[in-house]
Amino acid sequence: EIVLTQSPATLSLSPGERATLSCRASEDISDMLGWYQQRPGQAPRLLIYDGSNRASGIPDRFSGSGSGTDFTLTISSLEPEDFGIYFCHQRRNWPPEITFGQGTRLEIK
Amino acid sequence: QLQLQESGPGLVKPSETLSLTCSVSGGAMNSGTSYWAWIRQPPGKGLEWIGSIFYSGSTYYSPSLNSRVSMSIDTSKSHFSLTVTSVTAADTAVYYCARLGSGPYYGYFDHWGPGILVTVSS
């Protein structure tokens, strides 16, 4: 099973600051990684697919980069609605395997 | 606009069976290469994929839950279902249904239901 490790576990920042979140895969997954945002009390929503492509309707302050085993989600200037939990997810072995990272909590400083 | 909605009991007794249904509206269930999925999230924890089902009925389950999980689909009624047998407190979670997308979103969860909290307690 491919294991995804996210860091940091918690990130405390202020609105307007830049956020950098990391996801590391236990083996090469090419660019087959997605990022999801989960606001408090809501379902996750897809932000980024295939490493760097923004999903429909996602603001351009969100960007993804990386390939192989190391990936980054960057939020260029934090808005109040950006605080929540972010998960990465790999589709390299789908089907049959789906795995998520454990999440990074982005909280207001 | 595709919409998904989970339904089922919010409280299940230990050792009993958890059964949930996901109703799908605004789109066909038997189009493209989309799979339909269940994902759960224990309180304060991360996401765990439970399993996925194709409109033909073929399924993939998480190895950690494979022995207790079953999924079914009824495209004529636009819904798919999940059962988890022999539940314990560790099965307490918010359960989400979702679609694994097709085309550029192949393999990614592009639509989600709002989730339903299921508590296992006597």
Side-chain angles (χ1 to χ4, degrees), chain A residues 84-98:
Chain A
I85 305 175
Y86 290 80
F87 295 97
C88 58
H89 151 230
Q90 65 82 20
R91 69 170 184 90
R92 174 66 178 83
N93 290 344
W94 168 254
E97 179 184 314
I98 290 175

Side-chain angles (χ1 to χ4, degrees), chain A residues 19-73:
Chain A
T20 303
L21 289 68
S22 174
C23 180
R24 176 165 290 177
S26 59
E27 61 184 82
D28 188 339
I29 59 171
S30 184
D31 63 354
M32 299 182 189
L33 186 106
W35 290 93
Y36 299 80
Q37 175 195 63
Q38 186 178 34
R39 292 170 174 158
Q42 295 187 14
R45 68 164 176 162
L46 180 65
L47 296 177
I48 301 288
Y49 64 97
D50 287 348
S52 61
N53 298 291
R54 276 188 299 276
S56 176
I58 301 303
D60 61 7
R61 64 180 180 274
F62 292 93
S63 63
S65 63
S67 66
T69 60
D70 290 301
F71 298 85
T72 301
L73 174 70

